[in-house]
Amino acid sequence: MRNLVAVPLLVVLTLLGGPAVAAEVEPLPTGTDVDYQLGGAIDAPAHVGIVVRDREEPPQEGRYNVCYVNGFQTQPQEKRFWRKRPQLLLHDRTGDLVVDEAWGEWLLDLRTAEKRKRISRIVGRWTAGCAEDGFDAVEYDNLDSFTRSDGLLRRGHALRYARLLTKRAHREGLSVGQKNLAGFDGHRVGYDFAVSEECGRYDECGAYVADYGDQVLMVEYRTRDFRRTCEQHGATHAVVLRDRDLSPKGVHSWC
């Protein structure tokens, strides 16, 4: 078993137009492995010190637990919830919903300050739930959703909204993970670490490491990418090979 190391970190988040907000959060432990369990929870083996689970699952006792929240798009099982709030969903110029075709997820409409505020309140309640359940951190998926918006959303919309999310997470005592948008240093908007899917496949691991150092979790879905990521970063970072469905009985391998 690799040694699990974690020390408290004082994060100072400076907001646009507002005062600095200090929150004591716990960074990712180093010298341990990670398991990515979004498709269903199982007890992680002893050498795994970091467990990532959906917000609707309980954390695993005795581990550093990261709560998954789809902060910029909708989850498939939440369509009924969002249909009651159509004004917060992004529609194209013909009135149709803008969809991330790869996952069948609707994009959230972040174009105005009022909508960003309303959506952040919803996601903030979910974040508070993560903290109440005992999670140590939260990862907000799809920071790069603006790149799939047919030009309706801009980078600035996403970053201003991200500031609202990280502020709330820090207020709840949670460390915050950036998901996607390699090459953007999310510290600028309050992120503390990064979760990277297939950074080996797309040659993005180095970009995340340049911004976050050892505070990067790496998830691969193809064996050849996993081997390359292990060769390049396995000695310093938590890397896991999973099946694309992230099923409980699916592939689980570590460097």
Side-chain angles (χ1 to χ4, degrees):
M1 178 179 175
R2 300 159 70 184
N3 293 326
L4 182 65
V5 180
V7 294
L9 171 68
L10 185 67
V11 175
V12 177
L13 172 61
T14 301
L15 302 172
L16 285 182
V21 178
E24 187 174 348
V25 300
E26 187 176 354
L28 295 178
T30 58
T32 189
D33 288 317
V34 63
D35 200 5
Y36 208 57
Q37 299 187 0
L38 304 190
I42 58 171
D43 286 340
H47 64 88
V48 172
I50 305 170
V51 178
V52 184
R53 289 179 174 173
D54 185 82
R55 67 181 181 85
E56 295 181 348
E57 297 283 359
Q60 182 171 345
E61 186 175 355
R63 311 300 168 92
Y64 185 98
N65 290 276
V66 181
C67 186
Y68 171 88
V69 175
N70 198 345
F72 293 76
Q73 299 180 180
T74 67
Q75 290 288 84
Q77 70 272 22
E78 295 169 353
K79 288 187 174 180
R80 182 177 180 182
F81 174 89
W82 288 108
R83 281 195 182 101
K84 296 178 180 179
R85 299 159 178 84
Q87 70 279 12
L88 301 181
L89 298 172
L90 186 65
H91 294 76
D92 64 20
R93 295 169 182 85
T94 66
D96 293 330
L97 288 168
V98 180
V99 181
D100 179 346
E101 298 292 349
W103 301 101
E105 298 173 357
W106 300 330
L107 273 63
L108 300 177
D109 190 350
L110 309 176
R111 290 176 294 180
T112 69
E114 179 59 27
K115 288 187 178 184
R116 291 191 293 270
K117 187 175 181 179
R118 291 178 62 187
I119 296 170
S120 70
R121 286 174 177 166
I122 294 171
V123 178
R125 290 195 293 271
W126 298 341
T127 302
C130 293
E132 291 170 2
D133 289 342
F135 283 90
D136 303 285
V138 58
E139 67 149 303
Y140 293 119
D141 200 2
N142 292 306
L143 175 61
D144 65 341
S145 65
F146 67 91
T147 66
R148 297 181 288 277
S149 71
D150 297 325
L152 297 172
L153 295 175
R154 297 194 299 272
R155 184 187 184 99
H157 296 143
L159 299 186
R160 285 190 285 272
Y161 170 67
R163 285 187 178 94
L164 298 176
L165 297 185
T166 59
K167 177 185 177 182
R168 178 60 183 267
H170 286 152
R171 197 168 74 208
E172 299 294 341
L174 300 175
S175 184
V176 193
Q178 173 182 334
K179 184 73 165 293
N180 302 334
L181 205 60
F184 171 71
D185 185 353
H187 289 110
R188 293 158 51 187
V189 293
Y191 288 109
D192 306 298
F193 66 94
V195 179
S196 173
E197 287 181 296
E198 297 191 288
C199 67
R201 178 177 182 179
Y202 296 108
D203 196 25
E204 295 177 338
C205 299
Y208 285 110
V209 172
D211 290 331
Y212 287 100
D214 61 9
Q215 297 291 289
V216 183
L217 303 177
M218 302 178 183
V219 185
E220 298 291 349
Y221 298 114
R222 303 193 310 183
T223 301
R224 61 181 178 274
D225 303 322
F226 170 69
R227 289 172 178 167
R228 183 171 70 165
T229 302
C230 283
E231 289 174 1
Q232 296 178 353
H233 301 284
T236 54
H237 290 78
V239 183
V240 63
L241 175 67
R242 291 297 336 263
D243 57 294
R244 286 194 175 277
D245 291 334
L246 298 168
S247 54
K249 295 183 179 180
V251 178
H252 293 79
S253 295
W254 296 272
C255 299

